[in-house]
Amino acid sequence: ETGVTQSPTHLIKTRGQQVTLRCSSQSGHNTVSWYQQALGQGPQFIFQYYREEENGRGNFPPRFSGLQFPNYSSELNVNALELDDSALYLCASSFTGSGEKLFFGSGTQLSVL
Amino acid sequence: GESVGLHLPTLSVQEGDNSIINCAYSNSASDYFIWYKQESGKGPQFIIDIRSNMDKRQGQRVTVLLNKTVKHLSLQIAATQPGDSAVYFCAEKNGGGADGLTFGKGTHLIIQP
């Protein structure tokens, strides 16, 4: 176990709705990253937070946003859900700001109907 | 297209044999590489990492080899066990910034009894 916990484990939403996913980082880790993993694919980088600020972002639209809190926990928010947003959303933490050697949680499986 | 990929989607090996999982990358600026193991229903689990100033790194029962000339990365697993059955991903990163890891599609390792 990595010590990174995510909630909820599964979620079903309808197109157009908004969703918030939550993550608690491993103790001592100050950096959190979010990844999207479609079925049968490798994870894709959404963004990274370090010291409560976004310091890196992948090729995802602005309707994907996030927060990092002083205790290093984090949220991923997705607005105006689309069918293609159905995926496993993974949170990962590390103790450097570089986003290397990430430790992943088990993910939240989001289904958009 | 993806900058990191794997040569085979599925690899079947006999229990006790050594496994070799290959990965090709296209971004010559990448200087950090990492292997993850992902079991069904779980997030990726860190196996081993290597920086571009090294050619080889060993862990417990695992070895990562990096050939920068041909942009090739491999993961060797010694004495493969049933618990090694999983999907294995290689990932790369460019520089010390917050660009995130770029993952390949994964190789499914199947252990035959």
Side-chain angles (χ1 to χ4, degrees):
Chain A
E1 296 296 326
T2 64
V4 179
T5 59
Q6 294 186 241
S7 63
T9 55
H10 295 82
L11 200 53
I12 299 174
K13 291 286 189 178
T14 56
R15 192 171 48 184
Q17 285 189 313
Q18 179 266 343
V19 68
T20 297
L21 310 182
R22 294 179 173 83
C23 172
S24 292
S25 301
Q26 183 167 325
S27 178
H29 286 187
N30 57 15
T31 304
V32 65
S33 304
W34 286 89
Y35 285 76
Q36 181 195 68
Q37 187 176 23
L39 190 63
Q41 303 292 317
Q44 280 196 294
F45 175 64
I46 303 175
F47 45 55
Q48 176 178 292
Y49 279 81
Y50 174 64
R51 293 182 175 177
E52 301 175 50
E53 291 199 2
E54 183 184 301
N55 72 338
R57 190 176 185 94
N59 189 26
F60 280 82
R63 61 188 183 85
F64 286 77
S65 63
L67 287 171
Q68 185 185 28
F69 300 101
N71 65 354
Y72 303 131
S73 64
S74 177
E75 288 182 355
L76 164 65
N77 299 289
V78 187
N79 293 322
L81 283 167
E82 300 177 0
L83 298 180
D84 285 348
D85 295 334
S86 295
L88 180 67
Y89 288 86
L90 294 162
C91 171
S93 70
S94 64
F95 56 83
T96 71
S98 65
E100 298 174 354
K101 199 166 185 176
L102 300 178
F103 293 89
F104 284 86
S106 294
T108 293
Q109 185 64 55
L110 174 64
S111 298
V112 182
L113 307 179
Chain B
E2 293 188 28
S3 65
V4 179
L6 296 171
H7 293 307
L8 294 173
T10 302
L11 176 65
S12 183
V13 298
Q14 292 289 128
E15 182 179 347
D17 287 352
N18 296 335
S19 303
I20 300 176
I21 302 172
N22 295 303
C23 178
Y25 65 96
S26 59
N27 188 351
S28 57
S30 293
D31 62 357
Y32 176 77
F33 305 88
I34 188 167
W35 283 96
Y36 282 95
K37 169 187 179 183
Q38 188 172 26
E39 298 172 283
S40 181
K42 297 184 179 181
Q45 176 187 347
F46 170 82
I47 301 174
I48 192 167
D49 59 358
I50 188 168
R51 296 197 179 277
S52 59
N53 60 352
M54 301 174 69
D55 297 323
K56 177 180 180 179
R57 193 171 186 211
Q58 290 184 291
Q60 187 175 9
R61 269 200 319 120
V62 295
T63 301
V64 56
L65 298 176
L66 175 63
N67 186 330
K68 295 179 287 293
T69 302
V70 294
K71 295 202 272 298
H72 183 268
L73 190 69
S74 68
L75 177 70
Q76 301 178 1
I77 305 174
T80 312
Q81 303 168 358
D84 294 327
S85 289
V87 177
Y88 288 80
F89 292 98
C90 66
E92 64 169 323
K93 193 173 185 302
N94 178 9
D99 292 335
L101 295 172
T102 300
F103 284 80
K105 291 185 178 180
T107 292
H108 186 194
L109 180 64
I110 299 171
I111 312 303
Q112 304 280 5

